[in-house]
């Protein structure tokens, strides 16, 4: 079973940047679709960004569009980044990486779409 490992979280001031990384432990026969979700204290986990299995189509939550960029380092999407610029305190959360071999993009922003999850990395933005 593939494992996902996130890294790159930390404590930063508002306006700063961070780059999160998600590494899959193994390749599959076809590319993964990969997403980032986040969960703030006392709130439900929410979708942040996704990159489809084609490696080109990307999706963003409205509140991060223009500030965050999801990208992949390889054609199988085994190494995915989330570049976060212009961080604000509302971005404070545990960020989770998720992966699926489902090619359909219909539910790409929904947790039910994903079979594999990382343990999460904390991002804290101070004002």
């Amino acid at each position: 079973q593939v494992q996902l490992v996130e890294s790159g979280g930390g404590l930063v001031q508002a306006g700063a940047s961070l780059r999160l990384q998600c590494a899959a432990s193994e390749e599959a026969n076809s590319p993964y679709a990969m997403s980032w979700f986040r969960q703030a204290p006392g709130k439900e986990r929410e979708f942040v960004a996704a990159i489809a299995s084609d490696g080109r189509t990307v999706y963003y939550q409205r509140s991060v569009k223009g500030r965050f960029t999801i990208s992949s380092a390889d054609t199988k999407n085994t190494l995915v980044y989330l570049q976060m610029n212009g961080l604000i305190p509302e971005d404070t959360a545990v960020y989770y990486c998720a992966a699926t071999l489902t090619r359909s993009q219909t539910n790409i922003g929904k947790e039910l779409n994903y079979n594999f999850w990382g343990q999460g990395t904390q991002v804290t933005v101070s004002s």
Side-chain angles (χ1 to χ4, degrees):
Q1 177 157 332
V2 66
Q3 294 183 332
L4 304 177
V5 179
E6 304 101 332
S7 61
L11 170 63
V12 297
Q13 290 189 331
S17 298
L18 282 174
R19 189 176 78 161
L20 304 185
Q21 175 178 298
C22 174
S25 60
E26 60 188 64
E27 285 189 7
N29 291 331
S30 57
Y32 297 108
M34 300 281 267
S35 285
W36 290 93
F37 289 77
R38 67 186 181 186
Q39 187 167 22
K43 295 187 177 181
E44 293 188 353
R45 190 155 56 184
E46 64 176 3
F47 169 75
V48 177
I51 185 165
S53 57
D54 63 10
R56 299 185 305 275
T57 308
V58 295
Y59 299 84
Y60 296 99
Q61 183 202 103
R62 186 182 304 176
S63 69
V64 307
K65 202 168 185 180
R67 299 189 297 123
F68 291 9
T69 303
I70 188 169
S71 62
S72 176
D74 63 295
T75 57
K76 289 289 186 76
N77 293 343
T78 62
L79 183 59
V80 172
Y81 302 104
L82 183 68
Q83 178 67 41
M84 306 186 295
N85 298 329
L87 285 162
I88 59 178
E90 290 75 15
D91 294 321
T92 295
V94 177
Y95 283 70
Y96 297 91
C97 177
T100 181
L101 291 171
T102 301
R103 291 192 176 185
S104 170
Q105 299 178 25
T106 301
N107 295 312
I108 201 167
K110 298 181 181 179
E111 292 187 48
L112 61 84
N113 194 56
Y114 297 92
N115 313 101
F116 311 109
W117 290 83
Q119 294 299 307
T121 185
Q122 177 71 47
V123 172
T124 304
V125 184
S126 63
S127 58

